[in-house]
């Protein structure tokens, strides 16, 4: 339903200052260069995989090693205590979930002391419930993007070439299967093929049985 940022890269300010709401269907994030499109992507990536894409290194890095890069430059220069965070809200089966990752920054001499936490709230029948169980938290985070699509989500430029081997039939086939959502159709085809083979075997067995019965009848008639 929405993604919100708090002092995250160039998204300076509170969650309320930096909330982006989605509509049903396809939503397009459009902005000029250096306006935060990649950082928008990094916020979701941080929540899902504890990693971010480092544009300087041109590769994925652990979020825990990149907290100071993730923090708003303005917050680092002007504040002594502040939070860096990302919040995702989504709905599944009429239940609403709010997932937040937050790093608390505290000035410590010439450096910064940081503390990360994960907050998840589930709303059931208009009642907010705090989720504390670690295993349950992990399950809820995995609901944000379906497991079968996770490998194909949150890609940056050249990542697609690393992910999909276009020269490999199996690689291309598995990609099409996942993205087109035709796994159910493939299962139906496999099931139909299996049923066809079983029906053919039953038909052959029945034909053999009939032939055997006819031979016995013929033998009995001749004997009589």
């Amino acid at each position: 339903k929405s993604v919100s940022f708090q002092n995250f890269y160039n998204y300076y300010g509170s969650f309320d200052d930096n909330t982006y709401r989605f509509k049903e269907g396809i939503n397009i994030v459009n902005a000029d260069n250096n306006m935060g499109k990649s950082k928008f992507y990094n916020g979701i990536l941080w929540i899902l995989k504890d990693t971010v894409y480092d544009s300087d290194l041109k590769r994925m890095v652990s979020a825990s090693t990149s907290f100071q890069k993730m923090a708003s430059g303005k917050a680092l220069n002007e504040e002594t205590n502040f939070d860096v965070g990302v919040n995702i809200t989504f709905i599944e089966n009429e239940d609403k979930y709010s997932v937040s990752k937050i790093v608390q920054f505290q000035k410590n001499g010439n450096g910064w002391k940081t503390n990360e936490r994960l907050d998840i709230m589930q709303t059931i029948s208009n009642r907010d419930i705090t989720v504390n169980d670690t295993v349950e938290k992990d399950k809820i985070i995995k609901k944000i993007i379906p497991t079968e699509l996770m490998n194909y989500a949150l890609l940056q430029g050249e990542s697609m070439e690393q992910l999909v081997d276009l020269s490999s039939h199996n690689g291309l086939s598995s990609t099409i299967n996942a993205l087109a959502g035709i796994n159910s159709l493939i299962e139906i085809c496999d099931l139909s093929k299996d049923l066809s083979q079983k029906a053919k075997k039953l038909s052959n067995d029945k034909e053999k049985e009939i032939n055997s019965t006819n031979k016995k009848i013929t033998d009995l008639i001749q004997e009589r």
Side-chain angles (χ1 to χ4, degrees):
K1 304 300 287 186
S2 67
V3 176
S4 304
F5 305 101
Q6 181 173 13
N7 297 320
F8 185 72
Y9 289 103
N10 50 327
Y11 294 97
Y12 175 73
S14 67
F15 282 135
D16 290 337
D17 296 328
N18 302 288
T19 294
Y20 300 86
R21 292 180 174 82
F22 295 91
K23 294 182 179 180
E24 193 76 22
I26 295 175
N27 291 257
I28 298 174
V29 179
N30 181 40
D32 292 333
N33 289 337
N34 300 316
M35 292 298 290
K37 297 189 299 296
S38 294
K39 310 314 177 191
F40 193 105
Y41 151 96
N42 266 350
I44 303 172
L45 190 63
W46 178 26
I47 285 185
L48 290 176
K49 296 186 176 182
D50 280 321
T51 59
V52 291
Y53 184 80
D54 190 312
S55 55
D56 296 327
L57 301 175
K58 304 290 186 190
R59 61 180 174 85
M60 298 293 182
V61 297
S62 170
S64 60
T65 64
S66 196
F67 284 157
Q68 201 150 329
K69 272 192 175 183
M70 291 160 58
S72 161
K74 188 173 182 180
L76 287 170
N77 290 330
E78 299 181 4
E79 309 285 348
T80 55
N81 293 282
F82 64 92
D83 290 346
V84 171
V86 176
N87 171 271
I88 293 177
T89 61
F90 69 99
I91 292 176
E92 187 197 50
N93 297 330
E94 298 184 359
D95 292 337
K96 181 180 178 181
Y97 298 91
S98 174
V99 180
S100 300
K101 272 193 177 175
I102 295 171
V103 178
Q104 297 171 311
F105 275 71
Q106 183 176 8
K107 196 78 171 179
N108 185 15
N110 293 325
W112 292 92
K113 180 182 178 183
T114 58
N115 180 47
E116 182 184 18
R117 74 173 194 266
L118 171 64
D119 298 333
I120 296 183
M121 187 78 71
Q122 182 177 5
T123 304
I124 304 175
S125 300
N126 295 321
R127 187 165 61 95
D128 292 336
I129 301 171
T130 301
V131 179
N132 295 313
D133 182 72
T134 303
V135 175
E136 188 61 27
K137 282 183 175 182
D138 188 51
K139 287 181 180 178
I140 291 171
I141 289 174
K142 288 179 178 177
K143 291 179 180 181
I144 296 174
I145 296 180
T147 304
E148 65 273 16
L149 295 179
M150 181 61 74
N151 289 339
Y152 308 99
L154 304 172
L155 301 178
Q156 286 270 41
E158 65 277 4
S159 303
M160 195 64 181
E161 295 177 5
Q162 299 171 7
L163 179 69
V164 182
D165 180 8
L166 298 179
S167 64
S168 164
H169 177 272
N170 289 336
L172 189 57
S173 177
S174 63
T175 301
I176 292 172
N177 290 351
L179 296 181
I182 60 174
N183 285 333
S184 296
L185 182 59
I186 291 173
E187 289 174 5
I188 291 172
C189 289
D190 290 340
L191 180 61
S192 299
K193 184 177 180 181
D194 183 52
L195 289 172
S196 175
Q197 290 173 345
K198 288 181 178 179
K200 187 174 182 179
K201 183 179 182 302
L202 285 171
S203 176
N204 290 338
D205 290 345
K206 202 66 179 176
E207 188 175 354
K208 289 178 182 177
E209 181 184 336
I210 291 171
N211 289 338
S212 175
T213 302
N214 287 341
K215 185 177 183 305
K216 288 180 181 178
I217 292 173
T218 301
D219 291 343
L220 287 172
I221 290 172
Q222 289 177 348
E223 181 182 350
R224 183 168 180 177

